[in-house]
Amino acid sequence: MAVPLTDSEKRKQISVRGIAGLGDVAEVRKSFNRHLHFTLVKDRNVATPRDYFFALAHTVRDHLVGRWIRTQQYYYEKDPKRIYYLSLEFYMGRTLQNTMVNLGLQNACDEAIYQLGLDLEELEEIEEDAGLGNGGLGRLAACFLDSMATLGLAAYGYGIRYEFGIFNQKIINGWQVEEADDWLRYGNPWEKARPEYMLPVHFYGRVEHTADGVKWLDTQFFEGKELRLKQEYFVVAATLQDIIRRFKSSKFGCRDPVRTCFETFPDKVAIQLNDTHPALSIPELMRILVDVEKVDWDKAWEITRKTCAYTNHTVLPEALERWPVSMFEKLLPRHLEIIYAVNQKHLDNVAAMFPGDVDRLRRMSVIEEGDCKRINMAQLCVIGSHAVNGVARIHSEIVKHSVFKDFYELEPEKFQNKTNGITPRRWLLLCNPGLAEIIVEKIGEDFLTDLSQLKKLLPLINDEAFIRDVAKVKQENKLKFSAFLEQEYKVKINPSSMFDVHVKRIHEYKRQLLNCLHIITLYNRIRKDPGKSFVPRTVMIGGKAAPGYHMAKMIIKLVTSIGNVVNQDPVVGDRLKVIFLENYRVSFAEKVIPSADLSQQISTAGTEASGTGNMKFMVNGALTIGTMDGANVEMAEEAGEENLFIFGMRVEDVEAMDKKGYNAKEYYERIPELKQVIDQISGGFFSPKDPDCFKDIVNMLMHHDRFKVFADYEAYIQCQAKVDQLYRNPKEWTKKVIKNIACSGKFSSDRTITEYAREIWGVEPSDVKIPPPNVPRE
């Protein structure tokens, strides 16, 4: 019997961009040994696994640096328009394996490491996640960097290299406990300090208007751990100084300014603001142009608007940043003056367009009046940008007709949609090489840089052999993940059960509570009729709660408490298990997503901007149970609604309910199974030692639930019954899986970035392959 290939061996068989190959194994070994020699400290002769990891990482980095230098030379010679992507979050995860895959070094490195008696996968597991983000927004930024490189754009990502990443989550007695993520304690092989480009960033001080212009004086340098506003200005100020340095000099390695006129600035520079966090780019660019470069105010505003573009990521009012004016007065006094001046000109324009409409002026002012005057950063972004986009079609419509309705009426041409995407290199080839391998066998490798080619799988939906192959890959992934859970978390699960997975930030709008209600309903049904046949399920919920978010932490406690009761009930046995996946992060996602059968995307319609986890599950062969929210709408459109499990209220239903009024008690009294579940939670069935433990959750659900969990309960339970019904027919289930994979091509970040490039940044993607450093330039 043939021994199955490992994940590493499967990846080795598949190239990316045609540059994979065995390579010079001897050269990799030589480089590895050289780095290992310099890694070992003088008083230590024996290398540790971490020493081996760093030696390999530096070996791979050598290839990156060589390509980076060649790329810099190429772009300084061509002088193209440069794209600057500003984000306070870049949730990168691990880099070693991703880089080897993308540079086609996997074969050479794997063989060299094997010859040295080491295990590549063991070394890969040593790397810390770079958790410089909270969730989807930061992971999206990481996917975008991958796609910008793949598409040959002269693009840069600017963010903060935080000393500590997002916290590590421990679950102790069912409660989330946060631990510092000291990801840099052993150093970071992927970063390169550039002290020669160190720049001052100013805070506080005073503004003086002189005959020579406006001056910001008596400022302080940035030091230590400051508030979020300081972080936001820090990244913006440092970035813009770097952008302007690069704009002024056009030769590689040259620091002398050769451009002094800013007329062409928008032709050479595009700045994309990833949400409102880098919004200070707008007043900071104005300050530099007006105060430092002495550009006329109106011309400076024209340049700023043509240069900047803004991506909105949320419709939840509490998530849109509003900074107190008093904080700006103290911290950034010159920027406050600029914002007031910008706002006044903006309001003059609005008043001219809509004479006499005082209420509209109040709504559209960047300065919000009230007990505490605040600056609305989202509205500042809208007026200071030439393009504003949402991140899924339904979200972009809400942005136009609700969140920024007044601004859309003023400048409709400015508003666009750019549906999010994910990189297929990391989220298919790297994390699911078994699936990638069987796809390559059928349609070749080109889908890795053109995901729309997955449509070529459509004729195979009824192909018996392919159906068997897809089902086999899924089962292998489930066995592998089961083994991982048993080893790392001492949790034993049934690998033949349905893997029902709900992983994302813990938040009321994402409705992990609706999932909990279904679990308890299922539990009650099994106990009521233990002789009946039930589809075995392993429900996995994972995600981090913001440290100060009480309700989110209570939700985690509820999930773990339900698990304690369900998992120990002998009546239930293997038919239902509830697992909370501790410390969910990028490297964990790479393991769980390929193993999932069912993907839970159940936010209240109109609250999830897009989602990208939904796309990762789709391309990895999970079926989606979800509401018509975010990108779920477009996923259903691509694959056919009948190939997803869609349930619940649509956006218009939610809006109608808001007008009529949502009465949770009405559902509680009308639906016996729902009443039983809520009574169990409130009566201490899942917390016998502390019967009042979940009173805050019950009180919220009954009286203050903005996200209307009960209103979708019945439809959700009925939809879950359809999931069970289909899962009983493995062949039909797998046919729908194949249809979803074949129709997931739209959700590549390559497609998203191509649209940004052409429709916002005014540049064209390029397939020019810059030769590697060891190949002479022509």
Side-chain angles (χ1 to χ4, degrees), residues 475-612:
Q475 196 54 38
E476 285 174 358
N477 289 337
K478 290 172 73 171
L479 285 164
K480 188 176 175 188
F481 189 63
S482 300
F484 168 77
L485 282 183
E486 191 166 349
Q487 182 187 332
E488 296 294 320
Y489 294 90
K490 308 298 178 264
V491 170
K492 197 163 179 61
I493 58 176
N494 174 8
S496 62
S497 64
M498 181 201 303
F499 281 17
D500 172 345
V501 182
H502 195 177
V503 284
K504 50 186 76 243
R505 283 183 303 124
I506 308 295
H507 197 291
E508 287 163 81
Y509 91 82
K510 293 179 184 286
R511 296 204 296 191
Q512 285 91 356
L513 283 173
L514 183 56
N515 194 349
C516 288
L517 299 188
H518 172 249
I519 295 167
I520 300 171
T521 302
L522 208 51
Y523 172 67
N524 289 337
R525 287 179 178 180
I526 295 170
R527 281 173 57 89
K528 185 179 177 184
D529 195 355
K532 190 178 173 186
S533 170
F534 289 88
V535 172
R537 272 190 197 237
T538 301
V539 183
M540 304 180 213
I541 299 176
K544 294 176 180 177
Y549 189 176
H550 169 70
M551 189 55 66
K553 288 188 163 182
M554 288 304 309
I555 291 168
I556 292 174
K557 176 63 173 171
L558 178 61
V559 173
T560 57
S561 300
I562 292 168
N564 288 340
V565 171
V566 171
N567 299 346
Q568 292 171 30
D569 192 325
V571 174
V572 174
D574 259 4
R575 291 180 288 187
L576 182 61
K577 288 277 185 255
V578 182
I579 313 292
F580 186 83
L581 300 174
E582 182 180 282
N583 203 32
Y584 181 67
R585 58 203 184 280
V586 176
S587 58
F588 201 149
E590 290 164 6
K591 293 178 173 66
V592 67
I593 289 172
S595 75
D597 293 305
L598 187 68
S599 159
Q600 298 250 11
Q601 309 295 334
I602 58 176
S603 52
T604 312
T607 59
E608 184 71 86
S610 168
T612 49

Side-chain angles (χ1 to χ4, degrees), residues 498 518 522 525 532 535 537 598 625 645 714-728 733:
M498 181 201 303
H518 172 249
L522 208 51
R525 287 179 178 180
K532 190 178 173 186
V535 172
R537 272 190 197 237
L598 187 68
I625 183 166
F645 299 101
E714 260 182 320
Y716 181 55
I717 299 297
Q718 288 163 9
C719 195
Q720 286 281 20
K722 290 178 185 170
V723 173
D724 280 347
Q725 188 182 352
L726 185 66
Y727 196 75
R728 288 178 187 276
W733 178 280

Side-chain angles (χ1 to χ4, degrees), residues 314-578:
T314 184
V315 299
L316 299 181
E318 66 268 29
L320 294 169
E321 290 186 301
R322 293 170 165 86
W323 289 107
V325 165
S326 57
M327 193 182 288
F328 265 75
E329 281 174 331
K330 178 184 168 194
L331 199 67
L332 299 166
R334 177 56 179 148
H335 297 77
L336 182 62
E337 284 189 347
I338 290 168
I339 290 168
Y340 268 118
V342 161
N343 189 46
Q344 189 55 57
K345 293 217 168 197
H346 157 65
L347 292 180
D348 291 345
N349 185 32
V350 174
M353 292 276 289
F354 302 95
D357 194 340
V358 178
D359 200 47
R360 183 182 293 265
L361 288 175
R362 180 190 56 76
R363 292 194 308 266
M364 295 185 73
S365 175
V366 170
I367 311 296
E368 295 182 348
E369 302 295 336
D371 293 340
C372 171
K373 268 193 185 180
R374 291 180 182 275
I375 301 170
N376 186 313
M377 303 305 278
Q379 296 189 176
L380 176 63
C381 286
V382 173
I383 67 170
S385 299
H386 71 276
V388 175
N389 71 280
V391 289
R393 195 174 62 232
I394 188 173
H395 170 232
S396 295
E397 289 304 305
I398 293 168
V399 162
K400 289 194 298 194
H401 301 299
S402 175
V403 185
F404 298 125
K405 181 174 183 284
D406 294 317
F407 296 86
Y408 176 65
E409 288 172 358
L410 186 71
E411 298 177 288
E413 71 287 347
K414 178 185 281 194
F415 289 79
Q416 302 187 16
N417 173 57
K418 297 286 170 280
T419 298
N420 282 344
I422 55 168
T423 164
R425 272 76 62 186
R426 185 182 289 257
W427 294 110
L428 180 52
L429 175 57
L430 184 151
C431 75
N432 200 346
L435 181 59
E437 182 190 33
I438 63 170
I439 294 172
V440 166
E441 284 172 4
K442 296 296 182 186
I443 66 171
E445 298 173 8
D446 290 350
F447 71 92
L448 289 166
T449 49
D450 177 11
L451 205 61
S452 66
Q453 294 201 24
L454 288 177
K455 280 258 192 299
K456 292 177 181 176
L457 295 175
L458 285 172
L460 299 172
I461 285 176
N462 294 305
D463 183 295
E464 297 285 344
F466 192 62
I467 290 169
R468 277 196 307 274
D469 287 345
V470 170
K472 183 171 175 246
V473 165
K474 180 62 71 176
Q475 196 54 38
E476 285 174 358
N477 289 337
K478 290 172 73 171
L479 285 164
K480 188 176 175 188
F481 189 63
S482 300
F484 168 77
L485 282 183
E486 191 166 349
Q487 182 187 332
E488 296 294 320
Y489 294 90
K490 308 298 178 264
V491 170
K492 197 163 179 61
I493 58 176
N494 174 8
S496 62
S497 64
M498 181 201 303
F499 281 17
D500 172 345
V501 182
H502 195 177
V503 284
K504 50 186 76 243
R505 283 183 303 124
I506 308 295
H507 197 291
E508 287 163 81
Y509 91 82
K510 293 179 184 286
R511 296 204 296 191
Q512 285 91 356
L513 283 173
L514 183 56
N515 194 349
C516 288
L517 299 188
H518 172 249
I519 295 167
I520 300 171
T521 302
L522 208 51
Y523 172 67
N524 289 337
R525 287 179 178 180
I526 295 170
R527 281 173 57 89
K528 185 179 177 184
D529 195 355
K532 190 178 173 186
S533 170
F534 289 88
V535 172
R537 272 190 197 237
T538 301
V539 183
M540 304 180 213
I541 299 176
K544 294 176 180 177
Y549 189 176
H550 169 70
M551 189 55 66
K553 288 188 163 182
M554 288 304 309
I555 291 168
I556 292 174
K557 176 63 173 171
L558 178 61
V559 173
T560 57
S561 300
I562 292 168
N564 288 340
V565 171
V566 171
N567 299 346
Q568 292 171 30
D569 192 325
V571 174
V572 174
D574 259 4
R575 291 180 288 187
L576 182 61
K577 288 277 185 255
V578 182

Side-chain angles (χ1 to χ4, degrees), residues 117-129:
L118 301 168
D119 185 301
L120 184 64
E121 292 196 20
E122 283 180 15
L123 298 188
E124 289 166 351
E125 286 296 317
I126 289 169
E127 184 173 6
E128 303 275 352
D129 276 49

Side-chain angles (χ1 to χ4, degrees), residues 68-86 148 152-158 197 239-240 242-254 258-259 264-272 306-309 386 756-757 760-764 770:
W68 174 62
I69 291 169
R70 180 62 64 90
T71 301
Q72 294 295 311
Q73 291 169 334
Y74 176 83
Y75 282 126
Y76 272 94
E77 286 164 7
K78 299 291 180 185
D79 193 25
K81 184 173 187 177
R82 288 175 165 84
I83 315 305
Y84 299 96
Y85 194 81
L86 271 64
M148 288 188 280
L153 299 177
Y156 305 76
Y158 280 88
Y197 291 119
T239 296
L240 279 168
D242 204 45
I243 289 172
I244 284 166
R245 171 189 65 78
R246 198 174 279 110
F247 169 74
K248 285 183 171 181
S249 62
S250 64
K251 285 202 167 64
F252 182 66
C254 168
V258 293
R259 283 196 190 98
T264 61
F265 193 74
D267 301 324
K268 290 295 180 184
V269 173
I271 296 174
Q272 190 68 36
K306 282 183 178 175
T307 302
C308 295
H386 71 276
Y756 272 98
I760 294 181
W761 304 329
V763 295
E764 194 62 29
I770 300 170

